[in-house]
Amino acid sequence: MSSTFSLPSTSPTATVVIYSGGMDSYTVLHRALREGLEVHALSFDYGQRHARELDVATHVCRQLGIPHQIVDIRAIHGLIDNSALTNADQAMPTGDYADDNLRATVVPNRNMILLSLAIAKAVNIGAGRVDYGAHGGDHVLYPDCRPEFVDAMNHVAGIANFEYVTLHAPYLYSSKADILRDGLSMGLDYQHTWTCYEGRALACGQCGSCRERLEAFAANNVLDPLAYDATVQVSR
């Protein structure tokens, strides 16, 4: 007696969204929901200093009533700890969001690792797509947010399994200000996001990520609803 094994067929109406809890993935998440897709949010604990973003992600998904999974991959921390984002002994760079002062925040191979796991989940549940928030402002800083990387991973996602999964980065050529503008047009409340690279109770307002966020709000003539450290002079 023979038996056959078949993987679930992929559904064009379902997607796995890599959801960090930050501004970009928050907007990507809602954009997928606006498309009418069945959204499965996926977050990762890789030992990041700003793990508070995971609490924010959990809260948002509960409010939206969508499935949310946090995958604990802290076991690989020793493989990726040569970064200010994963090593608290390294000083967190401050100043503008630019290559000359934020190279220390690059986590080795982060997006390839996270995307591989997200693609696996998509195949496992029969989702036809994986969404993530790579954007134009990250092209210089983070190699795994560049169009060449996204194209290559999209190709791999199409041949790594029997079922085809599409990698979708809707803001690949957009700035942070563009993403915020799109989110504001959807009526999104960015109080429910976490951007700061520091793991404090309040956003520091000085790290490159905070500064880029504040610049995006200024470009849209909107006040950032997030609370910042009162001891820091934050220009809004």
Side-chain angles (χ1 to χ4, degrees):
M1 184 181 202
S2 63
S3 62
T4 59
F5 172 77
S6 60
L7 291 171
S9 59
T10 55
S11 169
T13 63
T15 185
V16 174
V17 176
I18 296 180
Y19 181 38
S20 68
M23 284 179 62
D24 307 328
S25 61
Y26 178 72
T27 313
V28 168
L29 183 81
H30 282 84
R31 181 168 174 149
L33 290 170
R34 291 294 180 100
E35 289 183 51
L37 298 176
E38 176 189 331
V39 172
H40 298 260
L42 185 62
S43 304
F44 296 94
D45 184 350
Y46 54 90
Q48 61 267 49
R49 288 167 65 166
H50 53 305
R52 178 173 175 177
E53 64 181 4
L54 299 176
D55 297 330
V56 173
T58 298
H59 171 76
V60 168
C61 290
R62 284 177 181 167
Q63 292 294 108
L64 292 172
I66 62 174
H68 178 221
Q69 181 178 6
I70 299 178
V71 182
D72 185 348
I73 56 172
R74 287 176 295 173
I76 70 168
H77 188 262
L79 305 178
I80 58 171
D81 62 357
N82 188 25
S83 168
L85 289 193
T86 52
N87 187 346
D89 292 334
Q90 290 192 30
M92 182 63 67
T94 59
D96 290 337
Y97 199 79
D99 177 60
D100 59 352
N101 68 335
L102 284 187
R103 186 174 291 271
T105 64
V106 174
V107 178
N109 215 31
R110 177 175 60 178
N111 282 345
M112 184 177 287
I113 295 167
L114 305 189
L115 285 167
S116 294
L117 294 172
I119 291 166
K121 179 177 176 67
V123 171
N124 191 54
I125 65 174
R129 205 170 88 181
V130 167
D131 292 22
Y132 92 116
H135 69 86
D138 282 342
H139 291 179
V140 173
L141 296 172
Y142 303 115
D144 54 7
C145 288
R146 293 172 182 167
E148 299 91 332
F149 172 81
V150 175
D151 288 344
M153 283 300 292
N154 215 346
H155 174 68
V156 169
I159 63 175
N161 299 280
F162 289 113
E163 303 296 333
Y164 187 86
V165 174
T166 300
L167 180 58
H168 184 56
Y171 297 115
L172 187 57
Y173 296 97
S174 302
S175 68
K176 181 80 78 173
D178 295 332
I179 297 172
L180 177 60
R181 187 174 303 112
D182 194 29
L184 293 173
S185 73
M186 290 188 273
L188 302 187
D189 183 357
Y190 284 89
Q191 181 179 354
H192 304 301
T193 61
W194 185 259
T195 300
C196 184
Y197 280 159
E198 296 280 8
R200 304 174 186 171
L202 299 176
C204 74
Q206 295 300 307
C207 69
S209 191
C210 277
R211 290 172 69 96
E212 186 195 32
R213 176 186 175 117
L214 288 165
E215 288 171 1
F217 275 92
N220 282 279
N221 297 310
V222 177
L223 288 177
D224 186 350
L226 196 66
Y228 286 83
D229 191 330
T231 64
V232 176
Q233 294 296 319
V234 177
S235 175
R236 304 199 197 189

